[in-house]
Amino acid sequence: MNLMYPETLPDEVRQSIAVQSIEAKTLLFQQGEQADYLYIITQGRLRLMRYLDDGKTVTFQIAQPGDGVAEVVLMADFYPCTAVAEVDSQVIAYPKQVILNSFRNYPDLTEHLIHILLRKIESLKFRLELRDIRAAHERVLQYLRQLAAPNSSVITVDRPFKDVAADLGITPETLSRALSRLEQDGAITRMQQYITLNDSPAA
Amino acid sequence: MNLMYPETLPDEVRQSIAVQSIEAKTLLFQQGEQADYLYIITQGRLRLMRYLDDGKTVTFQIAQPGDGVAEVVLMADFYPCTAVAEVDSQVIAYPKQVILNSFRNYPDLTEHLIHILLRKIESLKFRLELRDIRAAHERVLQYLRQLAAPNSSVITVDRPFKDVAADLGITPETLSRALSRLEQDGAITRMQQYITLNDSPAA
DNA sequence: CGCATAGTTGACTACGCTCAACCCTGGTGG
DNA sequence: CCACCAGGGTTGAGCGTAGTCAACTATGCG
């Protein structure tokens, strides 16, 4: 039973959900709206962000396929953040009542939901950990290490650097300089949108 | 059914748990240890932190009564962080197998666990949001606003300022200066360990 | 062929960190 | 009872690094 694959769900649940396509740059939902659905991403990429008092925005998560979005509706009535598609995307919409009801009958589904939540917690923890690294170039390096697949050392950056910079909590200029420096130090090699990590012993 | 109150749990679960006292400054568990239990805090305060490569530590959460600790064991086999008691504390230890098994039979318990996870996600999001506020004094102000009870504007800081500074990602010196400045600007008033927020229209 | 946007590079500024000295409190032992 | 010490908190001076503003290039799109 997997929330990403409706065909693995019990009929009762499957009949209540909807697959939804979202064009790049359009909103899935907006901060403050009435919240009746939670979503699982099946394709594309969504940016979750919140508006601060001063009008600036903070990105909480770049949600990828397999990630859940707005699970908080299970205990809140309004969306606490805004979700915007970075590229053409697809999600499955689950009415929150259906999920709450299924705890009773479908423990596997419950377990999967909990896994999704735990993964999100780990992701947030990692991003918080990053912010405690002061030096921009070291923060970038740590970020790249995490992005690299377990055995490979090649990272494909398939989204604008300025978005990456925002994730890291630095400006695009600083990111650019940090990458230059890392390349000059031999820690990484750049080729267009590909970055390879060189196994330098220390930072 | 509430994980904080064993008497509300089914016998089957209640018999498998243990209430545990922890003295101030001692460890509940350590990063890398085999993880068989998750914990709910009933009294006191625990600091969750991770060690970075360079030996520094990052605090992820100050866990209060009602918070869950190490729920990640539900999908991992080792503790990814270290938990240390800041003051004398008490926790309930739940064997993770028991929790995994109860999804089947006790939906209320499941729902409560999910609430705990969601609350943790919100807390992490808030802390990440804070880090995007550059100016130290504004970051501190936002932090105080969040700490203030909904209707009251008085905050009791019952732990060392240097710990608060670490939470905020600034040094104690900077925190001290930020508080001085906020007081001078009239945004707050300080009396020993009490801080009151003055309803100044803008920052 | 322009226009818009991303990325890069440079010069300057500003804010927080570091190091250091100092005050204050609470605890300990002579 | 007081001297001493340790730790937290505050304040000061100087430095370093990331932000800001600006100019310039490159790329993609109408």
Side-chain angles (χ1 to χ4, degrees):
Chain A
M1 219 176 272
N2 187 309
L3 291 167
M4 265 193 83
Y5 306 106
E7 61 274 16
T8 65
L9 302 174
D11 286 351
E12 179 187 340
V13 173
R14 199 167 67 224
Q15 282 158 15
S16 68
I17 68 178
V19 174
Q20 201 171 329
S21 292
I22 315 145
E23 271 180 43
K25 309 203 176 178
T26 59
L27 299 178
L28 178 56
F29 54 78
Q30 219 164 350
Q31 190 170 335
E33 280 179 9
Q34 176 93 22
D36 297 316
Y37 298 90
L38 62 90
Y39 302 90
I40 304 287
I41 302 179
T42 52
Q43 288 172 37
R45 191 170 63 234
L46 266 66
R47 166 188 296 271
L48 302 184
M49 56 194 199
R50 191 179 297 177
Y51 293 94
L52 298 179
D53 294 344
D54 60 1
K56 289 184 178 174
T57 62
V58 196
T59 298
F60 286 117
Q61 196 194 358
I62 302 299
Q64 309 273 355
D67 287 331
V69 168
E71 308 89 341
V72 72
V73 301
L74 292 177
M75 69 179 214
D77 291 329
F78 302 94
Y79 291 115
C81 62
T82 295
V84 54
E86 291 204 329
V87 298
D88 290 349
S89 305
Q90 196 177 68
V91 300
I92 308 178
Y94 289 87
K96 73 173 180 184
Q97 259 324 311
V98 172
I99 297 292
L100 289 171
N101 292 339
S102 359
F103 291 160
R104 187 170 327 281
N105 302 318
Y106 308 108
D108 287 2
L109 187 151
T110 305
E111 189 166 341
H112 185 234
L113 177 64
I114 285 180
H115 270 59
I116 289 175
L117 295 183
L118 291 172
R119 208 169 45 233
K120 180 172 269 195
I121 287 177
E122 290 309 300
S123 148
L124 285 167
K125 279 184 176 178
F126 172 73
R127 297 190 48 197
L128 204 47
E129 188 169 5
L130 270 188
R131 296 300 180 97
D132 280 323
I133 303 174
R134 304 261 172 218
H137 65 283
E138 287 180 16
R139 189 187 298 181
V140 171
L141 189 57
Q142 198 67 16
Y143 176 81
L144 293 173
R145 287 208 183 107
Q146 142 90 199
L147 280 192
N151 28 18
S152 160
S153 63
V154 181
I155 300 133
T156 312
V157 181
D158 63 339
R159 59 204 190 90
F161 278 26
K162 76 184 184 69
D163 289 5
V164 174
D167 276 9
L168 286 166
I170 58 180
T171 60
E173 293 94 326
T174 302
L175 174 59
S176 179
R177 284 185 248 262
L179 288 171
S180 301
R181 174 165 173 184
L182 288 173
E183 190 167 22
Q184 193 155 351
D185 291 357
I188 63 170
T189 313
R190 296 175 68 183
M191 286 188 51
Q192 289 112 244
Q193 79 273 46
Y194 299 101
I195 297 178
T196 59
L197 286 173
N198 303 333
D199 39 75
S200 52
Chain B
M1 220 175 268
N2 187 312
L3 292 167
M4 266 192 84
Y5 306 107
E7 62 274 17
T8 65
L9 301 174
D11 287 350
E12 178 187 338
V13 173
R14 201 168 64 223
Q15 283 158 14
S16 68
I17 67 178
V19 175
Q20 202 170 327
S21 291
I22 315 145
E23 270 179 45
K25 308 203 177 179
T26 59
L27 299 179
L28 178 57
F29 55 77
Q30 220 165 348
Q31 188 170 336
E33 280 179 8
Q34 177 94 21
D36 296 316
Y37 297 91
L38 63 91
Y39 301 91
I40 304 285
I41 302 179
T42 52
Q43 287 171 36
R45 191 171 62 233
L46 266 67
R47 167 187 296 273
L48 302 184
M49 55 192 200
R50 191 178 298 178
Y51 293 94
L52 298 179
D53 294 342
D54 60 2
K56 290 186 179 174
T57 60
V58 196
T59 298
F60 287 116
Q61 194 192 358
I62 303 297
Q64 310 274 356
D67 287 330
V69 168
E71 308 89 341
V72 72
V73 302
L74 292 178
M75 67 179 216
D77 290 328
F78 302 95
Y79 291 114
C81 61
T82 295
V84 55
E86 292 204 326
V87 297
D88 291 350
S89 306
Q90 195 178 67
V91 300
I92 308 177
Y94 289 88
K96 73 175 181 183
Q97 258 324 310
V98 172
I99 297 292
L100 288 171
N101 292 339
S102 347
F103 292 159
R104 189 171 327 283
N105 302 319
Y106 308 108
D108 286 1
L109 188 152
T110 305
E111 189 167 340
H112 185 233
L113 176 65
I114 286 180
H115 270 58
I116 288 174
L117 296 183
L118 291 172
R119 207 168 48 230
K120 180 172 266 193
I121 288 177
E122 289 309 300
S123 149
L124 285 166
K125 279 184 175 177
F126 172 73
R127 298 191 48 198
L128 205 46
E129 187 170 5
L130 270 189
R131 296 302 179 96
D132 279 323
I133 303 175
R134 305 265 171 216
H137 65 283
E138 288 181 15
R139 190 188 296 183
V140 171
L141 189 56
Q142 198 67 18
Y143 176 79
L144 293 174
R145 288 209 183 108
Q146 142 91 199
L147 279 194
N151 26 19
S152 160
S153 63
V154 180
I155 300 131
T156 313
V157 182
D158 62 339
R159 60 205 190 89
F161 277 25
K162 73 184 187 67
D163 290 3
V164 174
D167 276 7
L168 286 164
I170 58 180
T171 60
E173 293 93 327
T174 302
L175 174 59
S176 177
R177 284 185 247 264
L179 288 172
S180 302
R181 173 164 175 184
L182 288 172
E183 192 168 20
Q184 195 156 350
D185 292 357
I188 63 171
T189 313
R190 297 174 67 181
M191 286 188 51
Q192 288 110 247
Q193 80 272 45
Y194 299 101
I195 296 177
T196 59
L197 287 174
N198 302 333
D199 38 78
S200 53

